[in-house]
Amino acid sequence: TAPMLLLSLHACATAPPLLTRRHPGGVLEVRLNRPSKLNALSSEMVDGLREAVVAAREEGASGLLLTASGDRAFCAGGDIRQVAAMPPQQRRDFLRREYSLMIELFALRDSVPVVALADGLIFGAGAGLFMAAETRIASAPSSLAMPECALGIVPDVGATDYLRSCLEGGIGQWASLTGGRFSSDAMAAGGLCTHVCGADETERQPGQRSLPSTSDAAEAVQATYSSLVDCSSAAELRDTIDSCGAAATAPMAAATRAAAGGYEAAAASLVFARETLDSASALQRLPARLCDAAEAAEAKGDLGLASWARDTRAALSRASPAALLVALECLQLPLPEEPLARRAAALGAELAANQALGCRDEFAEGVACAVGERKGQPPRWEHASVEEAEGDPAVQRLLDAVRRAPPLDLELESADERRSAAGRSLEQIDRAKGKLL
């Protein structure tokens, strides 16, 4: 048994983190393949995904299908341990390449159908990949969240666009600032996913439909996967998706209730609405407002809403005050109407924010408390409050840089150019590892 176990562990350690396959019908599948790491995006995976986007565009693929190994996570975010170990300039380079991947995927939708099939956690950079796809299929057990503020950075990879675009009533700001999690029902209700597979039809919102459903979630995901990879053209892929029916967006009040844990939509909308939560002073007052909301709800016997308000206040207390302030600024920036320009503008502001925040000591602190040597402990942030962060000249300079940030450029390189750039990036990382050792 011991030799077999060692062989299994060795196979997991040596398996490529990204698998690509061109199916007979022309669908190009790219599978995230780090299940033991919850398919966290490494630098190598980012470069490989960008090469796949180029291949899909230049080789006339019937479609690009994003999948992942295992059933725990589609992708739980970027590999923050790897990023935290990089020298500052390489962190900034990684973020630019990661964000470039997101805009390239988003732009590919105009020429090639892009489908993401997610089963499990869809967090951080994983949510960025998922939301860049035109067709976004989630299994019933899946959930989506953007917990970046608890790491000392801002929600990124396009989140300050899609959380605003899909969700109204302040719920996008709630999710961005607190890292609040969306169930597959909430994702469908708010438009974060286009389809749900393996869902019980009796539990769908009125008007919603799902992809193949069985009593076993894994079987439903496999049935959905098979129906997609068997397509022989872009038209057939789109027809297959259309014939399954979309998870129609429910009335926004229902989406907000689902996203906020099923509790009172009006309270969530009121507390986090962009019109009222629009400044540092409003952000500073937010914990007190949530405390008041909890007490008022308790007085009325609404224990569910009281619990939600307290949990939300606790989530805010775990976040970096500087990250909260910069995230709110990103969420308040005006964005263009055209979808590609809108996503590029959001990514540009997020890049300016996180290339700075990701190189501060706070990011290392957030990573240590999330996945490192102090896992589970409360982070020791540089600022004790939003008010203190607002008074820091360095934070003010960053806020100004975010306001002036240009949209992220869409640079459509050839496959040869992309491979050359990826090779240079890997050489830089190898040199950095040598220095660290």
Side-chain angles (χ1 to χ4, degrees), residues 95-107 128-129 132 154-162 164 330 333 335-336 339-355 402 405-410:
L95 288 173
R96 176 168 284 281
R97 288 184 287 116
E98 183 184 43
Y99 293 13
S100 293
L101 164 64
M102 303 304 167
I103 196 64
E104 289 159 1
L105 261 178
F106 194 86
L129 282 177
V154 305
D156 57 354
V157 292
T160 58
D161 169 25
Y162 63 72
R164 255 197 278 179
C330 290
L333 291 174
L335 297 177
L340 182 60
R342 183 182 180 90
R343 187 62 57 91
L347 284 164
E350 293 163 3
L351 182 64
N354 281 346
Q355 281 189 329
V402 166
L408 188 67
D409 290 336
L410 177 61

Side-chain angles (χ1 to χ4, degrees), residues 128-306:
L129 282 177
F130 187 75
M131 293 303 298
E134 177 182 16
T135 301
R136 303 178 297 279
I137 306 168
S139 69
S142 294
S143 59
L144 182 150
M146 297 299 297
E148 281 75 10
C149 286
L151 297 173
I153 56 177
V154 305
D156 57 354
V157 292
T160 58
D161 169 25
Y162 63 72
L163 288 179
R164 255 197 278 179
S165 301
C166 295
L167 302 160
E168 296 177 1
I171 207 65
Q173 294 205 146
W174 165 78
S176 299
L177 300 175
T178 67
R181 186 182 296 200
F182 296 86
S183 67
S184 60
D185 277 340
M187 291 166 63
L192 295 173
C193 70
T194 58
H195 300 74
V196 177
C197 67
D200 183 349
E201 288 290 339
T202 62
E203 296 181 0
R204 300 256 63 78
Q205 296 284 349
Q208 291 179 6
R209 296 180 59 191
S210 65
L211 284 158
S213 175
T214 73
S215 58
D216 184 90
E219 289 180 9
V221 172
Q222 183 58 45
T224 301
Y225 171 82
S226 297
S227 69
L228 295 171
V229 298
D230 286 345
C231 296
S232 59
S233 67
E236 184 180 349
L237 181 58
R238 287 193 170 100
D239 287 345
T240 298
I241 293 165
D242 290 343
S243 68
C244 294
T249 301
M252 190 51 65
T256 304
R257 279 196 297 275
Y263 302 121
E264 190 60 45
S269 298
L270 176 65
V271 175
F272 285 91
R274 292 185 73 229
E275 295 78 13
T276 54
L277 185 55
D278 61 353
S279 65
S281 58
L283 187 58
Q284 180 71 17
R285 293 193 300 270
L286 187 54
R289 295 186 67 195
L290 286 164
C291 188
D292 292 343
E295 291 176 358
E298 247 182 9
K300 294 178 181 178
D302 191 343
L303 301 185
L305 178 57

